[in-house]
Amino acid sequence: MPEISYQDIKQSTFYPLIMNYLCSVHGIFELSSRFLINLFKDSDKEKIDHMISGLVINDKTKEEFKNNFNLTPLMGNQILSFSGTQPNVVIDIDDLANQVLEYNKDGFDYLFHGALYFLIINTYALTVDKHYSDDPLWQFYRHVRNAAAHGGKFNFNKNQPDKPSEWKNMRLETSLNKTYLIDTIDQKGYMKFGDIILLLLDIEDKFGIVLDF
């Protein structure tokens, strides 16, 4: 049985921020799919089958791509508005989709990680009244936040962690300095994406955090 369910996540006081993260990740997948569908529309069946067979996705999803070239309709254009006389800028969503997949590998990796780092940093910023705690769980959270703010790598000052920093079966040690917090395409990280959500729920439960959004 899983330790948490989606319903547990939805009931979290952090959920508005978690939801923002989940929407960001979904948007990356959506844009990636949009680019591929646009590409397939101008290709013959043999080329389409060849391109789809090379995708690193499961067989069920490959079949869905082969049988469905429909784009998700948009409820509106994404527009950047400015103060003063600067005209609005309309974002070309199809070009943005193209950029998502054509971006270099490290950049594509960071799209997913950047959304998670935003979640970690912002939940920590909203719990400022707890930042003095020497509790091992809170110290663990503090160092995770610092890693998120330093490009996704643990960033210990001299002799840190200087206080016990533990969560579940994880214990932060000086030897982890400059190593990755989360798995990347090429590098093994200390934690998984879902671990961060579970960590936030444990922080909320232990310290009785209630946020008013």
Side-chain angles (χ1 to χ4, degrees):
M1 293 293 290
E3 294 185 69
I4 60 171
S5 69
Y6 183 50
Q7 291 302 318
D8 294 325
I9 297 172
K10 287 173 64 177
Q11 294 171 12
S12 169
T13 192
F14 291 121
Y15 185 63
L17 292 171
I18 294 174
M19 179 170 57
N20 183 71
Y21 162 69
L22 297 175
C23 289
S24 297
V25 170
H26 179 81
I28 296 169
F29 284 127
E30 189 81 19
L31 286 168
S32 302
S33 301
R34 190 177 190 90
F35 169 76
L36 289 173
I37 291 171
N38 278 329
L39 190 65
F40 294 159
K41 286 192 302 185
D42 298 322
S43 303
D44 58 44
K45 185 178 186 305
E46 184 177 348
K47 186 176 181 180
I48 290 171
D49 288 345
H50 177 72
M51 287 189 293
I52 292 177
S53 65
L55 296 175
V56 187
I57 54 178
N58 62 55
D59 290 339
K60 180 177 182 295
T61 304
K62 288 181 180 181
E63 287 302 314
E64 289 177 353
F65 266 120
K66 289 180 181 180
N67 299 316
N68 181 12
F69 291 165
N70 294 321
L71 295 174
T72 303
L74 301 176
M75 296 181 69
N77 291 324
Q78 190 174 157
I79 296 175
L80 297 179
S81 58
F82 302 88
S83 57
T85 59
Q86 173 70 33
N88 294 341
V89 174
V90 179
I91 304 302
D92 184 335
I93 197 68
D94 290 324
D95 182 66
L96 182 60
N98 182 33
Q99 295 301 311
V100 167
L101 280 192
E102 287 197 349
Y103 209 30
N104 65 68
K105 181 181 64 176
D106 292 336
F108 185 72
D109 205 17
Y110 197 80
L111 290 174
F112 292 99
H113 289 75
L116 188 69
Y117 302 155
F118 179 87
L119 171 65
I120 296 168
I121 293 168
N122 278 276
T123 53
Y124 189 83
L126 290 172
T127 55
V128 64
D129 60 319
K130 305 292 184 183
H131 290 184
Y132 60 85
S133 177
D134 289 339
D135 185 282
L137 173 59
W138 191 267
Q139 289 297 311
F140 186 97
Y141 181 36
R142 181 171 74 88
H143 288 299
V144 165
R145 179 267 172 205
N146 288 346
H150 287 85
K153 292 183 180 181
F154 287 108
N155 189 68
F156 300 139
N157 293 328
K158 187 176 181 180
N159 298 322
Q160 284 188 336
D162 54 352
K163 299 172 183 176
S165 305
E166 302 174 4
W167 176 61
K168 294 190 178 296
N169 62 341
M170 300 180 184
R171 180 183 176 89
L172 301 184
E173 305 284 357
T174 303
S175 60
L176 290 170
N177 194 35
K178 304 305 179 184
T179 63
Y180 285 89
L181 171 64
I182 303 291
D183 287 349
T184 70
I185 293 175
D186 296 325
Q187 301 288 335
K188 180 72 174 176
Y190 190 65
M191 302 176 73
K192 306 293 185 184
F193 282 86
D195 289 336
I196 300 301
I197 306 298
L198 184 56
L199 172 63
L200 291 178
L201 268 60
D202 284 353
I203 288 288
E204 174 187 348
D205 181 62
K206 181 165 186 178
F207 295 96
I209 294 171
V210 178
L211 302 178
D212 183 18
F213 286 97

